[in-house]
Amino acid sequence: MKRPSNLPRIPLRIDEDDQVFVKIESLPQEYQHLAMPAAKISFRSDEYVDIVSQTIKLGRFTLRTHEVFNKEQDIMLIPYTRVELLTLHFMAGGEVVAEITDRGPYMMAKREMTLFKLEPSSHRAPMKAWDNMFSFHIDIRPEDMAEMAKEYPELATIAKKTSGKGSAPVNIEPYHINMACTELIDAICNCKFIGKQAEVFMHRCCLDLYMNFAAQDEMEEEPMRVFPLYVSEKLEDSIKYLVNTTNEKFSIAKMSVLLDLGIQELQEAFVDSFYIAPERFHLQRQMMQAYSTAVTTAEPLEKICASIAMNNVEEFTTLFESYFNCSFAIIRNSQ
């Protein structure tokens, strides 16, 4: 059934930073907990809707969030961009049918993600009365993605897929926001760092989210493997185990014993569910833990190294700086 064309039209700028920004303290009390200290924040409130938007420039990436609280009547949200963009979009809450100009309706529900290629244009997203939506997206220009793919080969397929003309989703159907992605999104939304320290940390989180999407997109063509229920039921525990053991060396053998699963079935089920190898996820958590310790404490390098089960300070420093693409000294001393 066609939506009425006379709905109130609510513009939502998703590309540039020329909005009017406000201080966290000026937000209504009920929205202040949403604010990230590193973000520029804009706020719209009228008879139809409240919208809290946040923007953080992170090197080639720009992180943007939009929390839309609709009021007592249906509206037509009008997302628009004035520049060509790739936007990796996570629907963290609510649902919406995005009417993409060149491809028609595209349904996104809570806990789904899609990579969109957007030309300069406006789109439509109808919302029902009293609906809420939390939209979290990571934007990058196509030419910057092509450059990043040279440094990170995992992104090469995405760079090729997004080189065409027109606005369209890259993945035909939305992908699930798995627990590995949720951990990264939570790390970003709960980040209290500012300035360079926030930029470096969040940039790496955004890169890992793009890599997770790329792995999911690559595996989409492969036949789906079905694992026994006793395996599936323990996958959430496997993520929690790795999050809570950053102070230990990774051991798939120990992990399989504690979870009472075979090594191969654990390894395969983890990758199929979270699109990252368990040892890679464990390293990701160790690096994030080391980063937080470096920024929030005065612990010497040797203790930070030991806290994530590494013995060689030189090896740790090389790994840390390669992972975050920034020197340890800059991270520690920046404000």
Side-chain angles (χ1 to χ4, degrees):
M1 180 173 148
K2 191 173 180 181
R3 290 264 178 177
S5 59
N6 60 346
L7 292 178
R9 296 165 64 88
I10 310 298
L12 188 68
R13 184 77 179 272
I14 62 172
D15 60 344
E16 292 298 330
D17 300 342
D18 58 358
Q19 301 100 326
V20 175
F21 297 108
V22 301
K23 294 181 178 180
I24 293 175
E25 301 77 40
S26 68
L27 286 174
Q29 191 66 39
E30 65 266 31
Y31 301 140
Q32 289 188 11
H33 71 283
L34 303 173
M36 294 178 282
K40 293 179 179 178
I41 303 169
S42 62
F43 179 63
R44 170 180 177 143
S45 181
D46 57 31
E47 61 185 303
Y48 303 115
V49 69
D50 286 351
I51 302 177
V52 180
S53 297
Q54 302 189 68
T55 302
I56 310 176
K57 183 67 179 172
L58 305 168
R60 290 189 174 104
F61 293 127
T62 301
L63 173 70
R64 302 182 196 276
T65 68
H66 305 287
E67 308 207 46
V68 183
F69 303 90
N70 197 18
K71 295 181 181 177
E72 60 186 15
Q73 71 176 87
D74 293 359
I75 63 169
M76 183 65 73
L77 203 62
I78 308 293
Y80 69 102
T81 174
R82 294 179 181 172
V83 298
E84 187 178 18
L85 279 181
L86 305 180
T87 181
L88 182 55
H89 184 277
F90 299 84
M91 184 63 76
E95 63 179 43
V96 69
V97 179
E99 299 177 8
I100 306 299
T101 305
D102 300 336
R103 294 296 178 91
Y106 189 88
M107 175 71 182
M108 286 194 72
K110 182 178 179 180
R111 299 195 60 77
E112 290 183 339
M113 64 178 178
T114 294
L115 177 62
F116 291 100
K117 165 73 167 13
L118 299 178
E119 299 282 347
S121 58
S122 62
H123 312 287
R124 304 197 310 168
M127 289 184 68
K128 294 180 181 178
W130 305 115
D131 272 1
N132 295 334
M133 181 186 77
F134 177 26
S135 168
F136 176 107
H137 54 104
I138 306 164
D139 301 341
I140 186 171
R141 301 293 294 270
E143 60 269 26
D144 288 333
M145 175 59 74
E147 286 300 311
M148 287 196 73
K150 296 175 184 177
E151 187 174 356
Y152 302 100
E154 299 94 329
L155 303 177
T157 302
I158 288 179
K160 289 178 183 176
K161 280 189 173 185
T162 54
S163 59
K165 295 291 184 182
S167 296
V170 173
N171 41 316
I172 297 172
E173 297 289 339
Y175 296 153
H176 179 64
I177 300 176
N178 58 67
M179 286 185 68
C181 290
T182 300
E183 289 288 335
L184 290 164
I185 293 170
D186 286 348
I188 291 171
C189 291
N190 294 321
C191 179
K192 303 304 180 188
F193 310 145
I194 59 173
K196 185 71 174 180
Q197 292 174 342
E199 179 185 339
V200 172
F201 180 79
M202 290 185 176
H203 182 276
R204 181 66 217 199
C205 290
C206 290
L207 175 60
D208 283 336
L209 284 167
Y210 261 92
M211 287 183 172
N212 194 285
F213 173 87
Q216 194 162 171
D217 192 62
E218 185 176 349
M219 291 176 67
E220 180 67 12
E221 302 300 322
E222 298 180 9
M224 180 181 293
R225 286 187 290 195
V226 179
F227 295 93
L229 184 60
Y230 71 86
V231 176
S232 302
E233 288 179 336
K234 294 182 179 179
L235 287 173
E236 183 173 346
D237 289 337
S238 71
I239 282 273
K240 290 178 179 178
Y241 170 79
L242 294 176
V243 168
N244 293 324
T245 56
T246 55
N247 61 331
E248 299 179 13
K249 288 186 180 296
F250 175 80
S251 170
I252 190 70
K254 179 179 179 181
M255 189 176 169
S256 67
V257 169
L258 290 172
L259 295 172
D260 194 24
L261 295 174
I263 290 177
Q264 183 174 346
E265 66 182 356
L266 172 58
Q267 184 90 23
E268 291 177 351
F270 194 99
V271 172
D272 274 32
S273 298
F274 307 127
Y275 302 93
I276 184 173
E279 60 270 25
R280 185 69 186 171
F281 179 80
H282 188 248
L283 174 64
Q284 181 186 101
R285 297 303 306 186
Q286 286 181 313
M287 290 294 99
M288 292 169 72
Q289 179 61 45
Y291 193 100
S292 179
T293 304
V295 169
T296 61
T297 76
E299 291 281 15
L301 193 53
E302 292 78 9
K303 282 197 173 182
I304 298 174
C305 174
S307 72
I308 59 166
M310 292 189 69
N311 300 318
N312 188 304
V313 171
E314 208 170 287
E315 286 181 8
F316 163 75
T317 305
T318 299
L319 176 62
F320 183 93
E321 293 183 348
S322 172
Y323 191 82
F324 289 107
N325 195 27
C326 188
S327 80
F328 184 89
I330 288 176
I331 290 168
R332 167 149 272 185
N333 298 324
S334 295
Q335 294 299 324

